[in-house]
Amino acid sequence: MAAPPRGAGRLLGERGWYLSAREQQEEEADEDGESAPLLPPPPSGSVRNRPNRGSSFGFSVFNLMNAIMGSGILGLSYAMANTGIMGFSILLLIVASLASYSVFLLLSMCTQTAVTSYEDLGLFAFGSTGKVLVATTIIIQNIGAMSSYLLIVKSELPGAVAGFLSGDESGYSNRSWYLDGRLLLLITSVCIVFPLALLPKIGFLGYTSSLSFFFMVYFALVIMIKKWSIPCPLPLSSAIESLQVSNSTGDCKAKLFHLSKESAYAIPTMAFSFLCHTSVLPIYCELRSPSKSRMQNVTVTGIGLSFLIYFMSALFGYLTFYDKVDSELLQGYSRYLPHDIVIMTVKVAVLFAVLLTVPLIHFPVRKAVLMVFFSHLPVSWICHILVTLTLNTIVVLFAMYVPDIKNVFGVVGSTTSTCLLFVYPGLFYLKLSREDFLSPQKLGACALVIFGICVGLLSLVLIIFSWIDQ
């Protein structure tokens, strides 16, 4: 066999070669796996790479939570309504635990390969096919994420405008152009999202989009407080509805376990909500004194705190509306508290977060598209603009014509989210790890793959059948 090329730790060709220095480092990592660094040490004497530089533990946890928290928080109350409090709690705990475990597998693979991106793990495991597959999955996942954000604009911006105008949203929605959700979505996309996405560098949005995390925490606190502002049974708009509800005794009773055809959306929504795996390695690269155990502690802390915020917002949202909860939680507050000042501030905060986060999510999608489809072409502004325009057009069309945000959570969550969260980390670990197949970690990776495939396919099939039955 030919000797590997020079350059220890560098990935070359489709599968890559490593010098004996890399193999020696792997052996040392096996001996001290929890404290061994994931990446090669910086050059000696480098001032910029001294151990005291980099992100602190707390700031890394914040960055990870900012990557986790997103539009999924608006759909978790609906998931609880269709699984029950206990059923939801068990499923959410399972998904959060498996998300943490799959991150552990990714970090373990980084110890062996020294790569710093999800796509490169696919390259090292399965060659160029693996890299293209991961990149394509990320493209679909992020398009779904952007669509879910713009769906929030379509559904919430008309109510916010009506609230500020002190008018009745229902009375103007059919007459006034400025309360047409699709038109407002198109205007904001053309005037705000598209220009920001066109910028060659968008670093300042990385800081402002961090505000979205605080907006989500604020959202959760408001949901908890406003539980006592909406009476139960809910206020009704017609005598017919009142007669129907008077014959029902379960409207204000929480269910511990519940199963219906809508339950199929639960796990995909949770998978969509906890997906942060494409951000784990970049966050690791900025971590001070990086090691597998330190980054795993960051992950457990970030996912644990996100679990707490998700659970509390879902619980109080469900206990406010019970079985009448909307698939997009804010719609219920728009209906029953249309002019509440606090709810209006939440809407504005969420909309602000959306408009700054969508262009940020767009950047890795465009990079992946250029890598997969246009890597043979030279870099040019024409290609940059056309790809940006095409992606934004696709996202806007999805947001305009998808009737319900739960459909985005369901389809994207059951396909790309389960792949990135469960299937790919398990597959890559099975391929790259030198452990015996019956070792605990490989058995765990195998179980992760099986769980992801089974849950994803089952959820997708049930979602499709629910569409057919409608």
Side-chain angles (χ1 to χ4, degrees):
M1 180 178 293
R6 297 179 61 186
R10 294 176 56 190
L11 199 62
L12 302 175
E14 284 192 353
R15 298 298 299 274
W17 291 90
Y18 284 91
L19 285 179
S20 58
R22 165 52 52 195
E23 295 175 355
Q24 181 180 358
Q25 185 178 359
E26 290 176 4
E27 293 177 357
E28 295 173 354
D30 291 337
E31 295 175 0
D32 190 18
E34 294 304 313
S35 60
L38 301 182
L39 300 178
S44 59
S46 174
V47 176
R48 295 182 58 188
N49 293 300
R50 285 178 181 171
N52 62 343
R53 296 186 65 87
S55 300
S56 64
F57 180 89
F59 195 74
S60 298
V61 170
F62 167 77
N63 285 337
L64 185 64
M65 293 182 67
N66 187 41
I68 294 172
M69 305 290 288
S71 57
I73 195 173
L74 299 178
L76 290 176
S77 292
Y78 184 78
M80 180 178 284
N82 288 285
T83 54
I85 295 178
M86 291 301 299
F88 176 88
S89 302
I90 294 171
L91 291 176
L92 192 70
L93 183 60
I94 290 174
V95 172
S97 300
L98 292 179
S100 180
Y101 179 68
S102 61
V103 170
F104 171 77
L105 295 183
L106 289 178
L107 297 177
S108 299
M109 286 181 285
C110 288
T111 303
Q112 300 179 37
T113 61
V115 299
T116 58
S117 73
Y118 211 141
E119 295 92 335
D120 284 338
L121 278 177
L123 172 65
F124 195 74
F126 295 104
S128 57
T129 302
K131 185 173 184 177
V132 171
L133 182 63
V134 173
T136 304
T137 306
I138 292 175
I139 291 171
I140 299 173
Q141 166 68 32
N142 283 17
I143 286 177
M146 289 189 289
S147 299
S148 71
Y149 279 117
L150 293 185
L151 270 167
I152 297 171
V153 174
K154 184 181 74 172
S155 63
E156 296 303 330
L157 189 54
V161 173
F164 281 112
L165 294 177
S166 298
D168 182 7
E169 180 182 352
S170 60
Y172 290 97
S173 58
N174 295 327
R175 296 181 292 165
S176 304
W177 65 268
Y178 50 82
L179 293 179
D180 185 334
R182 291 182 178 179
L183 184 58
L184 291 177
L185 169 63
L186 184 61
I187 293 173
T188 54
S189 298
V190 171
C191 298
I192 300 176
V193 176
F194 181 67
L196 291 176
L198 272 178
L199 296 174
K201 294 183 179 180
I202 200 166
F204 75 96
L205 284 183
Y207 297 99
T208 55
S209 68
S210 298
L211 293 173
S212 63
F213 167 75
F214 294 104
F215 293 152
M216 294 304 171
V217 175
Y218 176 56
F219 167 85
L221 292 175
V222 170
I223 297 306
M224 295 169 64
I225 295 171
K226 288 298 178 180
K227 185 259 182 289
W228 288 273
S229 298
I230 298 178
C232 190
L234 295 171
L236 299 169
S237 58
S238 69
I240 296 177
E241 287 180 315
S242 179
L243 180 61
Q244 291 174 344
V245 172
S246 65
N247 295 326
S248 174
T249 59
D251 288 336
C252 298
K253 183 180 295 184
K255 300 174 183 177
L256 295 181
F257 292 95
H258 180 64
L259 188 63
S260 68
K261 65 179 182 180
E262 300 297 313
S263 302
Y265 292 92
I267 291 183
T269 302
M270 296 174 189
F272 189 98
S273 301
F274 276 106
L275 185 63
C276 60
H277 294 51
T278 56
S279 302
V280 166
L281 299 184
I283 291 173
Y284 160 73
C285 291
E286 298 178 358
L287 179 64
R288 185 182 303 164
S289 302
S291 67
K292 184 167 68 176
S293 60
R294 186 171 171 80
M295 187 62 202
Q296 186 64 27
N297 290 335
V298 169
T299 302
V300 171
T301 304
I303 291 180
L305 292 175
S306 299
F307 173 89
L308 180 62
I309 295 173
Y310 278 157
F311 179 78
M312 297 304 294
S313 62
L315 176 64
F316 280 87
Y318 172 58
L319 293 179
T320 301
F321 300 104
Y322 294 93
D323 58 339
K324 299 295 190 295
V325 66
D326 288 278
S327 58
E328 197 269 85
L329 184 58
L330 277 177
Q331 291 181 357
Y333 295 95
S334 300
R335 185 178 303 113
Y336 296 108
L337 297 174
H339 306 301
D340 186 274
I341 298 298
V342 177
I343 296 297
M344 290 173 61
T345 60
V346 170
K347 288 183 180 180
V348 172
V350 170
L351 290 170
F352 179 75
V354 164
L355 292 176
L356 291 180
T357 303
V358 171
L360 198 67
I361 301 175
H362 173 89
F363 269 60
V365 180
R366 182 175 60 213
K367 178 182 177 181
V369 169
L370 292 174
M371 180 191 72
V372 173
F373 300 104
F374 303 102
S375 59
H376 60 286
L377 297 178
V379 178
S380 67
W381 269 104
I382 295 177
C383 188
H384 176 92
I385 294 173
L386 289 178
V387 171
T388 303
L389 179 61
T390 301
L391 288 173
N392 277 273
T393 301
I394 292 172
V395 170
V396 170
L397 288 176
F398 272 127
M400 290 179 68
Y401 293 104
V402 171
D404 202 324
I405 197 171
K406 71 178 183 182
N407 295 323
V408 176
F409 292 153
V411 174
V412 176
S414 62
T415 53
T416 56
S417 295
T418 55
C419 285
L420 293 170
L421 194 66
F422 307 125
V423 180
Y424 291 168
L427 279 179
F428 295 165
Y429 192 85
L430 291 174
K431 180 69 175 180
L432 296 175
S433 177
R434 299 176 180 177
E435 299 175 3
D436 184 76
F437 183 78
L438 296 179
S439 65
Q441 294 300 339
K442 276 208 168 181
L443 289 177
C446 187
L448 198 66
V449 173
I450 295 173
F451 177 84
I453 293 175
C454 293
V455 169
L457 287 178
L458 179 62
S459 299
L460 184 61
V461 170
L462 292 176
I463 289 169
I464 293 174
F465 274 115
S466 70
W467 292 346
I468 296 175
D469 291 339
Q470 290 178 355

